[in-house]
Amino acid sequence: MEKSNQTKVVLLACGSFNPVTNMHLRMFELARDHLQDTGNYRVIKGIISPVGDGYKKKGLIEASHRIEMAKLATESSDWVTVGPWEGQQAEWVETAKVIRHHYEELLAAERNKDEVDTVKIGKKRRRHEDRDGWAHHGRPASAVGVPQLKLLCGADVLESFSVPNLWKAEDIAEIVGRFGLVCITRAGSDAWKFVHQSDTLWRHRKNIHLVKEWVTNEISATHVRRALRRGQSVRYLLPDPVVQYIREQGLYTAESEEKNADVVLAPLQKYSEGCN
């Protein structure tokens, strides 16, 4: 039974999804179980956001294919869906901006709901606003009732925060401090060590949820692509509709794996230029 004091949460996973695997989907289930087991949260939605072609990662196939595969992978889910906006952008978009975009969509949905609500609901909202237009608890009045949006990731993302020129310090602070992070840990990775070593992560540690995966599942998209190039089976590593789509489209060849081989990753290029 839902408790009235539970906070609604939307989980957003950003990444290559090249291709989307069963482990990517499993992360959502693990994160939801963890948050809801605390008794403080109710996870209402999950969003997969494939990165755009402008990211320039080696072996990254077209976003249109990765978006379509993510849609096929989530067809059987009643709560995980695909957010195509990031993948549809011509240029690479920083993760912080992607999170802001999806939060604005949540705000817009709440505003639209308010427009069809009764006058009684409007009066209730006004009672919670002060004269400056801000609600209690330090949130804008427009954000009252809007679910929290948290970034869902693997331990590799947490570790990547320390890679020079891969992230802007202010983006890390915004992602963890304003929104929050749900990180699925992997075998052999000491996630709390990275939190402890970073002043920013430590300062916002209460916004970081580390989730232990007790059933080890090390499905790697890199290994999946290698198997596909070699004509080996990847069934049970990917959802069946995704396997079928890959076959039909002839994806993941030796040629596709060399795509962007001589190109600098977009964030490294952008942030390195900014340091010069």
Side-chain angles (χ1 to χ4, degrees), residues 213-226:
E213 166 59 294
W214 293 104
V215 181
T216 303
N217 191 341
E218 295 291 337
I219 299 177
S220 162
T222 301
H223 295 160
V224 168
R225 295 197 304 275
R226 182 181 299 123

Side-chain angles (χ1 to χ4, degrees), residues 137-149:
H137 310 300
R139 292 196 298 165
S142 59
V144 174
V146 178
Q148 286 187 7
L149 182 63

Side-chain angles (χ1 to χ4, degrees), residues 3-259:
K3 298 178 181 178
S4 60
N5 61 343
Q6 286 181 327
T7 300
K8 291 186 291 186
V9 172
V10 173
L11 297 170
L12 172 67
C14 298
S16 299
F17 301 103
N18 188 41
V20 61
T21 70
N22 287 337
M23 187 56 202
H24 289 135
L25 303 175
R26 179 69 182 147
M27 287 173 58
F28 282 93
E29 299 293 331
L30 290 167
R32 181 172 67 167
D33 282 349
H34 174 85
L35 291 176
Q36 295 191 163
D37 280 349
T38 67
N40 299 321
Y41 302 99
R42 181 169 67 92
V43 178
I44 62 171
K45 185 178 182 180
I47 304 171
I48 292 177
S49 179
V51 73
D53 296 336
Y55 190 54
K56 302 298 184 183
K57 187 176 182 179
K58 182 178 180 296
L60 189 67
I61 67 168
E62 290 80 1
S64 57
H65 286 308
R66 291 180 286 108
I67 291 171
E68 183 60 29
M69 286 188 287
K71 289 180 178 178
L72 290 170
T74 55
E75 278 182 342
S76 61
S77 176
D78 60 356
W79 70 283
V80 181
T81 185
V82 179
W85 179 82
E86 179 185 3
Q88 293 170 343
Q89 304 310 302
E91 301 295 328
W92 169 67
V93 183
E94 293 95 329
T95 300
K97 291 182 180 178
V98 177
I99 300 175
R100 284 181 224 141
H101 167 81
H102 285 283
Y103 187 68
E104 286 297 324
E105 288 197 333
L106 292 176
L107 281 175
E110 184 67 20
R111 292 191 193 104
N112 290 338
K113 190 168 67 175
D114 283 349
E115 289 176 1
V116 297
D117 275 342
T118 61
V119 175
K120 180 180 178 180
I121 297 298
K123 289 180 179 179
K124 182 178 180 181
R125 173 182 290 270
R126 285 194 294 273
R127 285 200 301 269
H128 286 282
E129 296 176 18
D130 61 23
R131 62 185 180 183
D132 296 320
W134 283 77
H136 297 300
H137 310 300
R139 292 196 298 165
S142 59
V144 174
V146 178
Q148 286 187 7
L149 182 63
K150 295 183 181 297
L151 182 66
L152 172 63
C153 67
D156 55 332
V157 173
L158 192 68
E159 295 169 16
S160 75
F161 285 163
S162 63
V163 176
N165 297 323
L166 191 60
W167 296 84
K168 288 192 296 187
E170 55 267 36
D171 281 1
I172 296 174
E174 179 180 4
I175 291 169
V176 183
R178 179 184 176 193
F179 296 102
L181 196 71
V182 182
C183 176
I184 310 299
T185 64
R186 64 186 182 191
S189 175
D190 187 353
W192 269 120
K193 176 182 176 182
F194 290 95
V195 174
H196 185 268
Q197 291 177 339
S198 166
D199 288 342
T200 299
L201 297 181
W202 182 256
R203 184 165 60 253
H204 300 295
R205 62 190 180 280
K206 292 183 179 179
N207 283 347
I208 300 175
H209 298 266
L210 299 183
V211 184
K212 177 70 174 180
E213 166 59 294
W214 293 104
V215 181
T216 303
N217 191 341
E218 295 291 337
I219 299 177
S220 162
T222 301
H223 295 160
V224 168
R225 295 197 304 275
R226 182 181 299 123
L228 287 167
R229 292 198 307 273
R230 296 175 179 177
Q232 298 172 337
S233 172
V234 293
R235 195 174 184 194
Y236 307 120
L237 299 178
L238 315 177
D240 283 345
V242 174
V243 176
Q244 182 177 348
Y245 181 86
I246 290 172
R247 282 205 202 104
E248 292 173 349
Q249 299 295 321
L251 304 180
Y252 299 115
T253 63
E255 290 75 22
S256 70
E257 193 64 20
E258 291 305 310
K259 187 176 181 180

